[in-house]
Amino acid sequence: MKAKIILCALAAAAAVLPRPAPAFASGEPYAMATTKSCYFYKEKNGGRALFAIPYTYCVEILHEDGDWYRVRYAEDEGLYTALYGYCLKEGLTPVSVPPENIYLNMPVTVTYRPDEPPTSLPVLSEMNVTAAYYGTYDSDGTALSYVSYEGSFGYIYGANDEYPLNEIPEEESKPASGGSAKSGKTKAIVACALCALAAGALLFLYFSGKRYFVKRGDG
């Protein structure tokens, strides 16, 4: 009976002790671009940026590497090909629940204009193709768009900033009266009290058992 009391006290103490939060929530870890200058790099530390992650869209975090995240952007679906590279942590906000549209899926029309030869022979007319848009790149003040078409990647002139935005998750509101801090202190006090109770029970059993064996020896 006494042993059951001690076990219950220890279990109750363990239940109220604070536990460390995991680095990422269970499931797929994602981070949202909360600035318009969060660039995707093929290589880190000096590598050239390819494009800026579209604002309010996400990358999948594969692992952390100092000030960088190893990430994946887009999926192998339709016109798009998944890209693997790096993003600086600055400008990215990890989210426990990613938005419904994790990556921006926005095909764009690219127009090819063949050069006219210096003859009167017929030439091909303008040709429109549909390419996968990944993001914008600023080249010394000139806005370019990073796109892919039939497995080839490159830039076209112009920025494509007209797209629907995801909702940015709000930061968890802090209790006005410090309720969270008070709750933590209360749990700590209860845990300490239960641990003290368990320790006292152990001491009681130890000394009572010792007296019991002494009496039996005397008899």
Side-chain angles (χ1 to χ4, degrees):
M1 181 64 181
K2 293 177 181 179
K4 288 184 178 180
I5 294 174
I6 295 173
L7 289 174
C8 290
L10 290 174
V16 298
L17 284 174
R19 294 178 174 83
F24 298 109
S26 58
E28 300 173 326
Y30 291 93
M32 177 180 288
T34 49
T35 69
K36 295 184 178 181
S37 58
C38 177
Y39 281 92
F40 178 94
Y41 296 78
K42 192 65 178 176
E43 302 292 339
K44 63 172 185 174
N45 297 331
R48 186 176 64 83
L50 296 181
F51 60 91
I53 302 297
Y55 182 58
T56 72
Y57 287 84
C58 298
V59 295
E60 181 183 5
I61 301 174
L62 302 179
H63 63 80
E64 297 186 36
D65 192 349
D67 295 331
W68 299 79
Y69 286 129
R70 171 70 172 167
V71 301
R72 179 184 71 133
Y73 181 74
E75 296 178 332
D76 295 327
E77 182 178 0
L79 297 174
Y80 282 84
T81 301
L83 297 181
Y84 294 84
Y86 294 86
C87 287
L88 284 167
K89 292 179 179 179
E90 184 179 2
L92 284 173
T93 301
V95 290
S96 56
V97 179
E100 181 179 357
N101 299 311
I102 298 173
Y103 312 112
L104 177 61
N105 189 323
M106 188 179 71
V108 295
T109 300
V110 179
T111 301
Y112 287 98
R113 295 184 177 89
D115 293 333
E116 295 184 5
T119 67
S120 59
L121 296 175
V123 296
L124 290 175
S125 60
E126 293 183 353
M127 181 173 56
N128 294 328
V129 299
T130 303
Y133 168 80
Y134 283 83
T136 301
Y137 178 76
D138 187 341
S139 176
D140 297 327
T142 300
L144 304 174
S145 293
Y146 192 68
V147 300
S148 70
Y149 174 68
E150 293 188 346
S152 297
F153 291 83
Y155 295 93
I156 59 175
Y157 282 106
N160 293 275
D161 295 330
E162 298 296 328
Y163 51 79
L165 302 179
N166 289 315
E167 183 177 353
I168 298 177
E170 296 182 1
E171 295 183 1
E172 295 183 3
S173 57
K174 297 179 180 180
S177 60
S180 177
K182 290 182 178 179
S183 176
K185 290 181 180 179
T186 301
K187 287 185 177 181
I189 293 173
V190 172
C192 290
L194 289 173
C195 288
L197 176 62
L202 287 171
L203 290 173
F204 173 76
L205 285 176
Y206 173 77
F207 286 111
S208 61
K210 188 175 181 180
R211 287 197 300 271
Y212 172 77
F213 285 115
V214 169
K215 289 181 180 179
R216 288 292 300 269
D218 292 343

